[in-house]
Amino acid sequence: MTGFESRADAEMQTLATPELTLEPLCSEHAAAMFDVLSDQAIYRYLDSAPPLSVEQLRALYTRLEPRRSPDGHAVWLNWVILPHGRPPVGYVQATVTSVCDAYIAYVLASRHWGRGYAHGAVKVMLEHLAAAYGVIRYLATVEIENQRSIRLLERLGFQRAGESDLQGRRLSTTERLFVRRLESTDAENAHDPIA
């Protein structure tokens, strides 16, 4: 078993910041997340549609609970974002595809935009991925018109992908790839913010 595979089998952990708790996504979150994901505004830049029912969302979350892709080659990590003492406002997710790479994404209900929740949640997730999974390269796709997400990624140290990062990747004409690489000193100093 490789180091990546053994880390992939580790139990998913709750993460925390002074303002937020990130709980590992599970089927019990479906009812609360249905309200969050019913916000039409968040689908302007997403390829998916709102869930049709709590039951549909619960079934999806049940399929995600093993934390692995069906072929076993990627680790699927999903956390619900909870401001302390409040219901969920969205989620963050990472697909760890190798010993050093992870695709990341985040979705928050529009009524919670601009409050720093996405920044705090993504930041603590990136720190955790470095410490627990050895990730040193993070990738995120974003629609070119989604300036709010582009500004967030740039604040977190992401840059527009260069030619070497784009090789072999399929993006639509309206998508851009952003990349963040950890320097060796960043990786050595990464800490695990486990609650």
Side-chain angles (χ1 to χ4, degrees), residues 50-187:
L52 298 175
S53 67
V54 172
E55 293 72 26
Q56 179 197 34
L57 196 57
R58 186 175 290 113
L60 170 63
Y61 288 177
T62 299
R63 288 194 303 276
L64 293 174
E65 283 181 357
R67 317 289 183 209
R68 281 189 172 277
S69 61
D71 64 8
H73 290 105
V75 180
W76 290 346
L77 304 170
N78 300 275
W79 289 270
V80 172
I81 305 168
L82 297 144
H84 297 312
R86 299 192 46 214
V89 298
Y91 67 85
V92 291
Q93 66 184 32
T95 301
V96 183
T97 58
S98 73
V99 74
C100 62
D101 285 350
Y103 280 88
I104 64 108
Y106 45 90
V107 172
L108 276 80
S110 62
R111 64 187 173 274
H112 302 294
W113 294 350
R115 298 183 184 188
Y117 295 152
H119 183 272
V122 173
K123 184 174 187 276
V124 76
M125 177 180 67
L126 298 180
E127 292 169 353
H128 175 71
L129 293 172
Y133 293 88
V135 174
I136 59 172
R137 184 172 70 158
Y138 307 96
L139 303 112
T141 58
V142 62
E143 289 289 324
I144 195 167
E145 291 182 3
N146 190 350
Q147 291 300 308
R148 181 183 296 275
S149 278
I150 289 172
R151 285 191 302 271
L152 173 62
L153 290 170
E154 289 172 343
R155 282 182 53 216
L156 289 164
F158 283 77
Q159 298 179 343
R160 183 120 173 239
E163 287 301 317
S164 63
D165 289 311
L166 291 170
Q167 288 181 358
R169 301 188 196 281
R170 292 183 179 176
L171 299 175
S172 75
T173 57
T174 62
E175 285 181 311
R176 298 296 178 261
L177 180 67
F178 282 76
V179 179
R180 177 183 173 194
R181 286 181 177 77
L182 283 185
E183 300 298 325
S184 59
T185 54
D186 294 334

Side-chain angles (χ1 to χ4, degrees), residues 21 26 72 161 164:
T21 298
C26 64
S164 63

Side-chain angles (χ1 to χ4, degrees), residues 3-81:
F4 173 69
E5 289 167 338
S6 62
R7 283 190 296 256
D9 291 332
E11 185 173 327
M12 188 121 170
Q13 298 167 335
T14 298
L15 309 178
T17 75
E19 298 82 27
L20 304 170
T21 298
L22 276 62
E23 288 185 0
L25 180 77
C26 64
S27 59
E28 286 80 20
H29 288 115
M33 287 299 292
F34 182 77
D35 179 56
V36 171
L37 297 176
S38 294
D39 178 0
Q40 292 294 325
I42 64 178
Y43 296 93
R44 179 174 179 192
Y45 303 115
L46 296 178
D47 294 334
S48 58
L52 298 175
S53 67
V54 172
E55 293 72 26
Q56 179 197 34
L57 196 57
R58 186 175 290 113
L60 170 63
Y61 288 177
T62 299
R63 288 194 303 276
L64 293 174
E65 283 181 357
R67 317 289 183 209
R68 281 189 172 277
S69 61
D71 64 8
H73 290 105
V75 180
W76 290 346
L77 304 170
N78 300 275
W79 289 270
V80 172
I81 305 168

